[in-house]
Structure formats: structure tokens, C-alpha cells
């Protein structure tokens, strides 16, 4: 029984066991194989992506893969501190404080600490009155500055949605009149907004750190489609194995995949 | 009403200052001098390592290790943060406090400048403070955001201006955007007069470790099973990887073609494909890269089919698109499904947390530190993409620190070389004993003043 996946809205070429995904990875193979040139149409370009890798199983596979790539050791090795070193360390006669004893005994991993932090943040979210300074005081835009927009429109949008604190807004207007070192740089003159006032800078600098998760870089707002590569040779992964979802570049690599690596998720 | 406060005038610091940039992969450590120099900085593996003979090596002892085959590591620093103090203490004791230690020091007569990665969870900061003062009893201590120490460099000199006047030496750069691409991750930190603008700090969860593991995975599928050979994979990565100017072009250039129509490489394409000879831990402790020799491949294949085991032949592998698809993850994390923008866009995300009035100064003063910045082609690709993303009115200047590994340490050494600047950041053990660890956390975060 061939497994065939029909991708909605896409001009995929089907054959037993695999799907040719109209990817954005315009390799020569695809250009040659795909006769209907619909690649310039937005809908066609993204349809394959949207329909291709969004099942729960595939998302979990991606997460597991990322976790694997984050590991320090392939095996779960236990490496104990050598006992000789443990004994002779530091000043033996000194008493260890309760704090230090607790810290040295702790077996917590970073994942544990991160879970603690997120639980605390969730709690503060429910009870804002007990919030600690971890909650950002200044709410600034998290969207990426758009290069192609002019400064004027950028400023408007920033004023409109991002700079909600009165101090910042006022400070910026005040700073119009002041001269700054930067104004002497001829290349930077005139077109750009002037540097913020001292007051604004002090407000910015006294803002508390973000949480670990909040500091993580965001995904592309435009939803840039993912590129896929052939598992076997690394070339564009235009073909998707219907049994396991792995990408390969052509029939030759599909053969190699079937021989050695397919169904690894089920094994 | 006001709590008891230590009077700064009474604080007297010892003359010796130890600076530790405590990275997940290596710790950079050394004592400050009046003329800061890279020579004073030691790079020490921040790990315990167990070799295949079950011997456990601690930190700097690895210098004497000759067999890295199947070696396994335990790292106290996870994601850039000191998570396991039991292991970290073993490494620090070996480096600083045992007899014959590499950088032996008496903490009670030493000031400590210790770095931390951005966005450290508070309990880990508290643990660190308590170990420093309660276990080691350093005379004074400051816990500094690693990237911020780079502000003490002569930044304008890095951009080609004349060296700074001596009296300005301890003044931090006014505006500086530090990109630190290291082992655990890549962070973007805007600094104003050496102080971080915390709300705008951003992190891309791709660092040297992930690149090494990705290369290991690709090679294990395509060549040998290298799953237990992280050490050698890191060496291969450092030897062969490069960031391409034109990813699609390079991918076409390294395409093998179909079996019916094997693609012959054009003359200008041959330089991408290379051979890497693996170490045998006898004749050569380290592997090396050399030009690809197709005839050798054919010969080896023939030998393999004719004779069984017994032939002593060198182990080598041919590498093509792995060379550039691996570091490409710093620019396209989506290539492994990570839902984050690449490093250049992360810089712009950081800027979006700042008033637009600061963008020109930040974009004109970008300093790159961390080991990944040494990957061939990384700097020019980074500059090209930031230039494309940034407002066209802004000047983009971007420099790599002369020694991107030791740069943060050296910045700390410049800070320590100025007694006034040092005194302003250090907290003494007496102050800690009097005010406690919650107070100390507030001082370091800027929420409390002395
Ligand atoms: Zn292939
Ligand atoms: Zn499969």
C-alpha cells in the first residue's frame, strides 16, 4: 500500500511512497522536474510548507531533534568528582555554611531552574500585586524595526504602540533641542531622530532584566518558510518520505534512505 | 528609616584582582595588571572529562590528556549559567586554590570580577553570590554581565581611530552593541556607558555546541558513526566550516548530480570539497584538512573490497556542503526547525527594544566576541545582512574583537586596572556580611545603591 499525502492547494507531484513538495528551495532538480511554473505565486509557495510539517508528530520530532542537538554528551555518562580532589579541596578545616552545603548538594539542572522561573512568572501574572521587579517596567516594542520604512513612519508606529510611558515620549521631544555628540558626525546628521535625553536613558537603564524566555529571539514575523534538506546528501530536500517524513533530494537518495534510515521513528 | 549602609570611603580593596569569564566551554581567568594584556589570561576547559580508560580529568589537567577518543564531558555551566556548583567547585579548586594550582590565589586577599550570562535566573545568581562570599570568602566581588565588560576596550581604536588618551582609559564606551556568539548561545546586548539596557537584550539559542552536534549528526549519517566523538567533531568544525556569501550557489556547487549524470566539479568549485584526516591518537593527536583527492577515494574503495581488515589505512572523510550548511544555522535557525530569526535579525529585534534615537549610535558601534566569530566568512555575512535590515540612513560599523575568546576577560582587566572604577563596582565581604544576599542581588542589578 503506497502512502500518499495530498497537500492542499499545492501542485505536488505524487508517486508511490513519496511526495514532491513544491518547496521554496529552488534547486535545479525541482526546476527541471516541476513543469507547472506556479512558484512565483505566493499561495503555491507557502502551501506545501503549511501542509507539510505541522502534524503533532512532526513537530515533536523537530523538538526532540533540537533537544538532541543541545546535549553535551551523547551517552548519559556519570562523572563523579574524584574523591581525592574532593578531600583536598580548599581549606579543609573551614566550616561549610548551610547555604553552601545546600548549593553543593543541589542536583537541579537548568531545565529545573527554568521551570521554577516560569512557574513564578505565571504566579505573578495571576497575582499582579505580588509582582517582583522581574516584570518589565517599560513596555517597548518587540517588533523588528522595518528597514524600508522611513523614520517618520517608524516614529509614528513607535509612538502609537510601543512607547507607552509618558516619560519616554516627553524625553524624546525635549531632546530634540539638545545637541549630542552624534550630531557632529556628518554621516549621521539630520535624517535620524535625536538621541534620547538623560532622563529617558536613566529610565531605560534601570529597567530590570527580562526572564530567560522573554529574552529569546522571536520567530520571523513574516513566517519565512522553512528550508528542507536531503538527509543523505544535504542537497535540497524536495522529496518527502511518506513513511517517516524525512526529506531527500531525489530517487537515488530515497533509495539510500529506504535501505538504512527509514522508519527510524517507529523502530 | 534608612538601612545601615556601608560607607564607600571606608572600603579598602586588596591590590590583587582575579577576573574570571566563566564560560560553559572554557573559563578565561587571570590576574589584573596595570598594563592589561592577553598574555595574562589563561583559557581553561570548564569541565570534568572521563576518557575511555575511565580516568577523570579536571579542567586544566586536560592539557596533559593525549587520548580524546570517546571522551565524555560534565559541564557545570549549562546555557551559560553556573548550574552545578559541585562540579564547578572541583574545577575552581583545581585552578585557583590547591597547592600548585595554575592561578593560585588567596581569596581573602583578592578581589574577584566574575561574569554571568544575560538573563540569569535569580536563584542561580544568589547561589553564586553565596558561594563566592561564604565558601571562598573573597575580599570583594562583582558579578558582571559578560558582554558589558567589553565596553572598557578602546572601541574607537577597533574602528580604526587613533588609540585613546591614557586618562580616558577606564571610561566605558558611550554606546556599544555587543554580539557574543559562544558555546551555549548567541546574545545581543546594547550598552550605554558600560551599563546593559536589559529590556533590549536578546538571545538566539544557537551556539558552538549546537553547531558541533549538528555536524556530528550529518557526518554520522553520511560517513562514520561519530556519536561519541564530540571532541574531534569540534576540531573538525573549527577546521572546515565556513559561512558562505551565497548559500544557494554553494549548495548547487557541491551537488553530486544524478547517478546517470554525475556532475563534474568546475575548477572554481573544487575548493569547497575537502578531505579531513581523523586523528589516530598515536602518530597524530589532531586531525587535519587537506585538498580533496578523488583518486584516493576510488583507491580506498578498491582496497576495502579486495582486502579485509589488517590494512593500516588512515581514516578520513570527504566533506562538501557540511562545511557551510552547519554554521548557516546562525543565520537560518529554521534550517533545523528552530523558531527563531537568525543572528542579524536578532540584532534588529534588540534595537526594537530601544528608542529609535539610539539606533544610529548602536549600529555604528557593534562589537562581536565569542568563538563563532572566528568562523571564516561569519563577519562579512553578518555585516551584509545587518546592513540590509537596518534603516538605510544609519551607518553600520561592525568589528570583531582582536581576540574574541579573551575579549570579555580583557575588558574586565581594563576595568580592574583603574582603582576608582574597580572600587565603584566591587562589593566587599564586610558589606555582604552586614547586608545579606538579597541586598547584594539588588546592588548588582542596579535596584539598590550604596
Ligand atoms: Zn540527496
Ligand atoms: Zn522514510
Amino acid at each position: 500500500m503506497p502512502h500518499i499525502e495530498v497537500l492542499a492547494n499545492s501542485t505536488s507531484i505524487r508517486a508511490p511512497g513519496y511526495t514532491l513538495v513544491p518547496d521554496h528551495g529552488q534547486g535545479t532538480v525541482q526546476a527541471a522536474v516541476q513543469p507547472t511554473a506556479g512558484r512565483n505565486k505566493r499561495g503555491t509557495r507557502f502551501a506545501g510548507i503549511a501542509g507539510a510539517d505541522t502534524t503533532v508528530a512532526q513537530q515533536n520530532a523537530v523538538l526532540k531533534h533540537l533537544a538532541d542537538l543541545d546535549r553535551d554528551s551523547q551517552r548519559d555518562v556519570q562523572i563523579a568528582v574524584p574523591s581525592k580532589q574532593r578531600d583536598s579541596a580548599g581549606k579543609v578545616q573551614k566550616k561549610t555554611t548551610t547555604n553552601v552545603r545546600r548549593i553543593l548538594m543541589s542536583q537541579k539542572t537548568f531545565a529545573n531552574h527554568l521551570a521554577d522561573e516560569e512557574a513564578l512568572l505565571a504566579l505573578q501574572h495571576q497575582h499582579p500585586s505580588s509582582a517582583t521587579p522581574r516584570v518589565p517596567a517599560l513596555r517597548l516594542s518587540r517588533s523588528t524595526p522595518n528597514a524600508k520604512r522611513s523614520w517618520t513612519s517608524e516614529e509614528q508606529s513607535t509612538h502609537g504602540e510601543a512607547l507607552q510611558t509618558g516619560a519616554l515620549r516627553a524625553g524624546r521631544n525635549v531632546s530634540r533641542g539638545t545637541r549630542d555628540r552624534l550630531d557632529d558626525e556628518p554621516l549621521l546628521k539630520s535624517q535620524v531622530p535625536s538621541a534620547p535625553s538623560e532622563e529617558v536613558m536613566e529610565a531605560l537603564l534601570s529597567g530590570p532584566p527580562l526572564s530567560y524566555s522573554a529574552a529569546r529571539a522571536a520567530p520571523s514575523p513574516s513566517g519565512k518558510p522553512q528550508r528542507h534538506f536531503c538527509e543523505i546528501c544535504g542537497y535540497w530536500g524536495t522529496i518527502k518520505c511518506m513513511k517517516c517524513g524525512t526529506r531527500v533530494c531525489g530517487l537515488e537518495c530515497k533509495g539510500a534512505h529506504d535501505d538504512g534510515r527509514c522508519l527510524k521513528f517507529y523502530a | 528609616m534608612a538601612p545601615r549602609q556601608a560607607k564607600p570611603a571606608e572600603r579598602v580593596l586588596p591590590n590583587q584582582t582575579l577576573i574570571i569569564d566563566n564560560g560553559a566551554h572554557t573559563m578565561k581567568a587571570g590576574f589584573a595588571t596595570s598594563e592589561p594584556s592577553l598574555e595574562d589570561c589563561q583559557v581553561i576547559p570548564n569541565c570534568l572529562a572521563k576518557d575511555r580508560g575511565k580516568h577523570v580529568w579536571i579542567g586544566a589537567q586536560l592539557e596533559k590528556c593525549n587520548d580524546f577518543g570517546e571522551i565524555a564531558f560534565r559541564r557545570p555551566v549549562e546555557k551559560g549559567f553556573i548550574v552545578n556548583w559541585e562540579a564547578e567547585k572541583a574545577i575552581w579548586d583545581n585552578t585557583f586554590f590547591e597547592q600548585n594550582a595554575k592561578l593560585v590565589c588567596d581569596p581573602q586577599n583578592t578581589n574577584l570580577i566574575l561574569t554571568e550570562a544575560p538573563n540569569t535566573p535569580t536563584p542561580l545568581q544568589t547561589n553564586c553570590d553565596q558561594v563566592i562570599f561564604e565558601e571562598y570568602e573573597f575580599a570583594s566581588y562583582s558579578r558582571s554581565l559578560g558582554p558589558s565588560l567589553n565596553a572598557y576596550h578602546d572601541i574607537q581604536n577597533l574602528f580604526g581611530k587613533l588609540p585613546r588618551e591614557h586618562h580616558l582609559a577606564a571610561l566605558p564606551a558611550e554606546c556599544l552593541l555587543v554580539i557574543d556568539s559562544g558555546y551555549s548561545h548567541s546574545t545581543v546586548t546594547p550598552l550605554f556607558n558600560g551599563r546593559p539596557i536589559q529590556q533590549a537584550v536578546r538571545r538566539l539559542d544557537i551556539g558552538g555546541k549546537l553547531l558541533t552536534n549538528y555536524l556530528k549528526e550529518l557526518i554520522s549519517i553520511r560517513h562514520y558513526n561519530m556519536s561519541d566523538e564530540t571532541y574531534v567533531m569540534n576540531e573538525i568544525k573549527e577546521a572546515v566550516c565556513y559561512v558562505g556569501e551565497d548559500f544557494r550557489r554553494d549548495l548547487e556547487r557541491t551537488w553530486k548530480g544524478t547517478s546517470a549524470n554525475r556532475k563534474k566539479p568546475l575548477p572554481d568549485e573544487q575548493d569547497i570539497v575537502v578531505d579531513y584526516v581523523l586523528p589516530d591518537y598515536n602518530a597524530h593527536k589532531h586531525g587535519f584538512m587537506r585538498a580533496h583527492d578523488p583518486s584516493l577515494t576510488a583507491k580506498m574503495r578498491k582496497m576495502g573490497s579486495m582486502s579485509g581488515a589488517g590494512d593500516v589505512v588512515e581514516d578520513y572523510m570527504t566533506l562538501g556542503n557540511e562545511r557551510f550548511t552547519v554554521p548557516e544555522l546562525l543565520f537560518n535557525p529554521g534550517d533545523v526547525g528552530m523558531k527563531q530569526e537568525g543572528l542579524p535579525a536578532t540584532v534588529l529585534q534588540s534595537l526594537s527594544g530601544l528608542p529609535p534615537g539610539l539606533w544610529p549610535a548602536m549600529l555604528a558601534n557593534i562589537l562581536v566576541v565569542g568563538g563563532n566569530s572566528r568562523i571564516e566568512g561569519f563577519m562579512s555575512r553578518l555585516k551584509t545582512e545587518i546592513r540590509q535590515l537596518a534603516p538605510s540612513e544609519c551607518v553600520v560599523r561592525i568589528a570583531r574583537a582582536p581576540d574574541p575568546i579573551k575579549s570579555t576577560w580583557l575588558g574586565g582587566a581594563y576595568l580592574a586596572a583603574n582603582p576608582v572604577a574597580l572600587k565603584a563596582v566591587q562589593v566587599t565581604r564586610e558589606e555582604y556580611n552586614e547586608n545579606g544576599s538579597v541586598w547584594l542581588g539588588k546592588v548588582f542589578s542596579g535596584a539598590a545603591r550604596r
Side-chain angles (χ1 to χ4, degrees):
Chain A
M1 258 300 269
H3 302 253
I4 296 171
E5 182 183 8
V6 182
L7 302 170
N9 252 342
S10 67
T11 52
S12 57
I13 292 173
R14 276 168 279 142
Y18 68 87
T19 307
L20 181 65
V21 184
D23 223 344
H24 64 291
Q26 285 96 26
T28 50
V29 169
Q30 190 196 336
V33 174
Q34 195 177 342
T36 48
R39 282 189 287 121
N40 294 332
K41 284 178 192 142
R42 213 180 160 78
T44 320
R45 270 180 69 189
F46 293 113
I49 311 307
D53 291 294
T54 48
T55 71
V56 174
Q58 280 157 345
Q59 280 173 358
N60 286 342
V62 167
L63 290 179
K64 188 188 171 295
H65 184 210
L66 289 175
D68 281 347
L69 291 178
D70 195 45
R71 290 164 64 154
D72 267 307
S73 251
Q74 198 63 26
R75 295 161 291 152
D76 280 324
V77 276
Q78 301 291 323
I79 304 178
V81 173
S83 54
K84 195 179 100 212
Q85 205 267 350
R86 206 188 280 154
D87 297 340
S88 68
K91 304 175 196 70
V92 186
Q93 72 279 15
K94 197 177 72 64
K95 269 190 297 181
T96 304
T97 67
T98 334
N99 284 332
V100 172
R101 207 173 311 127
R102 174 185 53 79
I103 294 164
L104 292 177
M105 301 272 286
S106 168
Q107 294 299 308
K108 275 189 171 182
T109 63
F110 180 69
N112 301 139
H113 286 284
L114 185 58
D116 288 353
E117 182 172 89
E118 299 198 327
L120 190 69
L121 285 172
L123 204 67
Q124 286 168 0
H125 193 69
Q126 284 169 0
H127 308 281
S129 57
S130 66
T132 69
R134 278 272 166 182
V135 177
L138 286 165
R139 304 193 62 85
L140 288 158
S141 167
R142 285 218 54 174
S143 66
T144 307
N146 189 325
K148 305 309 161 204
R149 270 190 279 169
S150 73
W151 280 107
T152 346
S153 69
E154 185 59 50
E155 278 210 339
Q156 278 164 355
S157 73
T158 327
H159 272 296
E161 68 195 34
L163 299 178
Q164 292 172 355
T165 57
L168 264 180
R169 204 175 303 168
R172 246 153 45 108
N173 293 335
V174 169
S175 69
R176 294 276 137 107
T178 64
R179 280 194 71 78
D180 187 272
R181 276 219 315 235
L182 277 169
D183 294 345
D184 299 323
E185 197 76 54
L187 282 167
L188 303 177
K189 217 180 243 170
S190 71
Q191 300 116 318
V192 297
S194 42
S197 68
E198 251 178 62
E199 189 189 3
V200 175
M201 286 318 303
E202 206 42 55
L204 268 179
L205 288 165
S206 57
L210 299 175
S211 70
Y212 181 79
S213 300
R216 182 177 285 131
S220 156
S222 61
K224 197 171 148 192
Q226 188 180 343
R227 308 191 289 196
H228 294 280
F229 302 98
C230 173
E231 172 192 60
I232 303 297
C233 75
Y235 193 59
W236 300 114
T238 13
I239 289 176
K240 186 175 154 194
C241 172
M242 291 312 298
K243 284 184 194 149
C244 69
T246 298
R247 301 295 188 112
V248 287
C249 68
L251 290 177
E252 198 180 333
C253 285
K254 179 72 169 70
H257 167 78
D258 289 345
D259 285 348
R261 296 195 46 86
C262 189
L263 293 180
K264 61 184 168 165
F265 295 123
Y266 301 96
Chain B
M1 185 76 194
R4 288 171 297 166
Q5 285 188 339
K7 299 177 194 72
E10 286 171 10
R11 296 185 298 139
V12 180
L13 303 184
N15 290 323
Q16 179 167 265
T17 302
L18 172 66
I19 302 141
I20 307 176
D21 177 19
N22 202 58
H25 188 241
T26 57
M27 118 175 50
K28 280 67 71 177
F31 296 103
T33 59
S34 54
E35 295 288 330
S37 148
L38 291 169
E39 310 296 306
D40 300 324
C41 176
Q42 306 268 350
V43 180
I44 295 155
N46 203 358
C47 61
L48 304 177
K50 194 192 254 179
D51 65 22
R52 47 187 157 191
K54 305 282 182 222
H55 179 77
V56 176
W57 305 80
I58 301 170
Q61 292 176 348
L62 275 164
E63 274 174 13
K64 301 196 188 78
C65 176
N66 286 314
D67 181 2
F68 288 93
E70 295 169 39
I71 200 160
F73 298 102
R74 173 177 172 191
R75 300 189 188 279
V77 176
E78 235 187 295
K79 302 279 181 185
F81 312 117
I82 307 176
V83 170
N84 190 289
W85 270 103
E86 188 210 10
E88 189 64 272
K89 185 174 182 303
I91 298 160
W92 280 26
D93 286 346
N94 178 264
T95 312
F96 306 112
F97 307 118
E98 283 168 12
Q99 281 183 339
N100 308 320
K102 212 175 171 87
L103 291 164
V104 71
C105 97
D106 169 16
Q108 300 200 9
N109 286 305
T110 305
N111 312 304
L112 174 67
I113 297 176
L114 177 64
T115 64
E116 67 173 359
N119 310 100
T120 309
T122 313
L124 290 176
Q125 296 180 318
T126 309
N127 286 354
C128 186
D129 298 345
Q130 289 173 342
V131 170
I132 298 305
F133 276 137
E134 297 182 18
E135 177 67 16
Y136 290 119
E137 303 185 335
F138 275 94
S140 82
Y141 155 63
S142 62
R143 174 162 47 72
S144 299
L145 204 63
S148 69
L149 292 178
N150 288 283
Y152 293 90
H153 285 289
D154 187 354
I155 299 298
Q156 295 314 312
N157 186 227
L158 291 179
F159 290 113
K161 301 273 168 71
L162 290 172
R164 62 188 168 191
E165 307 261 341
H166 194 71
H167 69 274
L168 290 173
L171 281 184
E174 188 188 38
C175 278
L176 183 66
L177 190 85
V178 177
I179 300 175
D180 185 351
S181 188
Y183 177 79
S184 305
H185 49 225
S186 303
T187 59
V188 179
T189 308
L191 301 165
F192 188 76
N193 291 325
R195 293 164 67 192
I197 302 175
Q198 294 279 8
Q199 301 285 305
V201 173
R202 292 292 181 276
R203 180 190 69 254
L204 168 64
D205 289 318
I206 294 204
K209 173 173 70 172
L210 192 141
L211 300 185
T212 299
N213 282 340
Y214 186 46
L215 179 63
K216 182 166 77 174
E217 176 186 283
L218 297 182
I219 287 179
S220 294
I221 293 174
R222 297 169 195 174
H223 299 279
Y224 302 96
N225 178 7
M226 301 294 279
S227 53
D228 287 333
E229 300 292 352
T230 304
Y231 180 86
V232 101
M233 287 316 306
N234 185 54
E235 292 206 322
I236 299 177
K237 178 190 75 178
E238 289 180 0
V240 309
C241 280
Y242 74 93
V243 175
E245 287 287 338
D246 187 338
F247 181 83
R248 286 163 185 276
R249 184 197 60 195
D250 284 357
L251 198 59
E252 297 303 332
R253 282 178 170 184
T254 48
W255 184 46
K256 64 187 184 313
T258 62
S259 55
N261 187 13
R262 276 282 172 247
K263 187 167 146 291
K264 286 206 184 73
L266 301 170
D268 69 324
E269 298 173 2
Q270 282 166 342
D271 52 342
I272 297 183
V273 180
V274 296
D275 291 340
Y276 189 90
V277 181
L278 293 165
D280 60 8
Y281 299 116
N282 286 317
H284 49 274
K285 186 176 167 183
H286 299 282
F288 56 93
M289 177 173 87
R290 68 179 176 210
H292 174 55
D293 182 352
S295 64
L296 200 59
T297 317
K299 198 171 124 210
M300 295 282 294
R301 212 175 278 137
K302 208 169 159 190
M303 279 175 61
S305 63
M306 289 193 324
S307 61
D311 284 309
V312 180
V313 287
E314 59 180 14
D315 281 331
Y316 77 97
M317 56 180 94
T318 301
L319 299 168
N321 57 35
E322 299 86 358
R323 294 187 63 197
F324 57 88
T325 54
V326 169
E328 179 72 15
L329 295 185
L330 286 161
F331 296 85
N332 280 296
D335 286 356
V336 284
M338 187 177 284
K339 298 211 179 325
Q340 294 189 297
E341 284 196 283
L343 191 50
T346 301
V347 170
L348 275 284
Q349 289 189 24
S350 168
L351 286 183
S352 73
L354 302 175
L358 279 179
W359 297 354
M362 291 296 175
L363 284 166
N365 294 284
I366 303 175
L367 178 67
V368 188
V369 302
N372 299 326
S373 68
R374 296 198 298 190
I375 302 172
E376 185 193 331
F378 173 90
M379 287 300 292
S380 71
R381 173 85 174 271
L382 188 64
K383 178 164 187 181
T384 305
E385 290 199 14
I386 292 176
R387 177 64 279 171
Q388 286 165 356
L389 293 168
S392 52
E393 300 91 327
C394 291
V395 174
V396 173
R397 291 192 310 178
I398 172 164
R400 172 173 51 195
D403 186 327
I405 304 283
K406 295 179 178 178
S407 179
T408 296
W409 181 91
L410 187 61
Y414 281 121
L415 167 64
N418 181 308
V420 180
L422 182 68
K423 211 165 181 174
V425 297
Q426 295 297 103
V427 173
T428 64
R429 194 165 85 251
E430 289 72 39
E431 288 177 284
Y432 173 80
N433 289 341
E434 202 171 313
N435 299 289
S437 98
V438 173
W439 170 85
L440 183 64
K442 284 182 181 167
V443 170
F444 286 149
S445 72
R449 282 172 192 272
R450 289 175 292 178

